[in-house]
Amino acid sequence: MHYYRYESEAAEVSCCYKYMMFSYNIIFWLAGVAFIGIGFWAWSEKGVLLDLTQVTRLHGFDPVWLVLAVGVVAFILGFAGCVGALRENICLLKFFSGLICVILFLELTVAVLAFVFKDQVREWINDFFLVNIKAYRDDIDLQNLMDSLQRLNQCCGAEDPDDWDMNVYFNCSKDNPSRERCGVPFSCCLSDPADNVVNTQCGYDVRVKGEDQSKVIYTRGCIKAMEQWLPRNIYIVAGVFIAISLLQMVGLYLARNLVDEIRKVRYHY
């Protein structure tokens, strides 16, 4: 007595593509959960979750928004990829592929537009700096972001240290009662590797007329500092961009191959 095994009974989706796709996306999913958790933790520390109207009252850029946006996108990508792979769901896998394509297109578009309209981009970055200089004391995360940018780039203000006149605490007007009047944040001060403790008062009174600012603080603006940094590190920037693009293309390749495998199996049935 002979038994025949039909091809449809043996057809199945490749475990290699299936679990590679799952492993690839579990990282995105966990990263998304972590970023969202960090974002809400930061808001809870600032009391935003107790008073959501604070979100609309902020006049500067809140870095928490960026953390939450990255977290949401990573979570959605990871969820669609993981569930789509495990459940062999073509719709979720197509959604994952489409979202990856949109992100790749946006990255390429931003890069091209930044190169073509570099003068407008410079003006936008300058306005961004000035708005956040004005709101420097309004949000602790914004304050830390501005301090980090100035320390890393060894700069002060957007164009020069006098941009800090836009802040109510640092402006040089005679009716300003602040002790920080005519000063700059400590992140503008020249750093000494021998100092183990940060002197947060080093920027006091440095913009008073007659003072030699170059001996105490960075006098170069952050816009110029970033313009000088980019040509020196163009290969690093290009390498990071290519690495991110290749990582996204790997996910796209796995998703498309898994969809084809699922369709072949369903065709046999």
Side-chain angles (χ1 to χ4, degrees):
M1 193 172 180
H2 298 283
Y3 293 94
Y4 296 95
R5 186 177 183 181
Y6 294 99
E7 185 182 1
S8 61
E9 294 176 349
E12 61 180 13
V13 177
S14 170
C15 289
C16 178
Y17 284 125
K18 186 173 180 177
Y19 290 107
M20 280 181 66
M21 183 68 180
F22 175 79
S23 301
Y24 175 89
N25 282 280
I26 194 69
I27 299 172
F28 281 100
W29 186 77
L30 292 174
V33 171
F35 274 103
I36 291 172
I38 291 170
F40 280 110
W41 171 80
W43 266 358
S44 68
E45 288 293 303
K46 293 187 290 187
V48 174
L49 296 181
L50 298 176
D51 183 12
L52 292 177
T53 58
Q54 291 185 41
V55 176
T56 59
R57 291 203 300 264
L58 293 176
H59 300 293
F61 171 72
D62 188 349
V64 177
W65 280 112
L66 181 59
V67 174
L68 287 173
V70 171
V72 169
V73 173
F75 179 86
I76 293 172
L77 272 175
F79 177 82
C82 287
V83 177
L86 291 178
R87 302 295 298 175
E88 298 176 11
N89 189 304
I90 291 179
C91 290
L92 283 176
L93 291 172
K94 282 186 173 181
F95 172 78
F96 172 85
S97 301
L99 189 55
I100 287 285
C101 289
V102 169
I103 293 173
L104 275 169
F105 176 76
L106 289 176
E107 289 171 352
L108 183 60
T109 302
V110 169
V112 172
L113 290 177
F115 178 77
V116 174
F117 301 102
K118 54 186 177 181
D119 291 335
Q120 288 85 344
V121 171
R122 188 184 191 281
E123 184 178 348
W124 179 83
I125 295 175
N126 183 72
D127 293 339
F128 173 82
F129 261 95
L130 294 179
V131 168
N132 290 299
I133 283 174
K134 187 176 181 180
Y136 176 76
R137 293 295 192 198
D138 294 347
D139 182 86
I140 186 63
D141 292 321
L142 172 61
Q143 184 173 316
N144 290 333
L145 174 64
M146 291 296 296
D147 286 334
S148 297
L149 287 172
Q150 292 190 140
R151 290 182 72 87
L152 288 173
N153 292 287
Q154 297 183 344
C155 59
C156 189
E159 296 290 346
D160 54 57
D162 288 334
D163 288 332
W164 284 99
D165 266 334
M166 296 190 65
N167 186 279
V168 294
Y169 296 95
F170 296 102
N171 73 67
C172 287
S173 60
K174 293 181 179 180
D175 57 348
N176 181 12
S178 172
R179 178 61 189 87
E180 296 174 309
R181 176 181 174 272
C182 270
V184 291
F186 72 93
S187 54
C188 286
C189 297
L190 297 175
S191 57
D192 186 351
D195 291 339
N196 295 322
V197 179
V198 176
N199 180 9
T200 57
Q201 300 180 0
C202 61
Y204 284 9
D205 304 320
V206 296
R207 292 189 296 114
V208 175
K209 289 184 178 180
E211 292 287 334
D212 187 359
Q213 299 180 9
S214 61
K215 293 181 179 180
V216 184
I217 63 172
Y218 302 114
T219 55
R220 179 179 59 168
C222 290
I223 304 296
K224 187 175 181 180
M226 287 190 290
E227 288 177 339
Q228 293 173 346
W229 177 88
L230 186 58
R232 294 197 305 266
N233 299 273
I234 188 66
Y235 292 111
I236 296 176
V237 174
V240 170
F241 181 79
I242 292 172
I244 292 173
S245 299
L246 288 175
L247 185 63
Q248 292 168 332
M249 288 178 184
V250 168
L252 192 59
Y253 171 80
L254 292 173
R256 296 308 304 167
N257 278 276
L258 188 54
V259 168
D260 290 340
E261 290 280 330
I262 295 170
R263 282 176 173 167
K264 286 178 182 178
V265 171
R266 291 183 180 179
Y267 175 76
H268 285 300
Y269 284 99

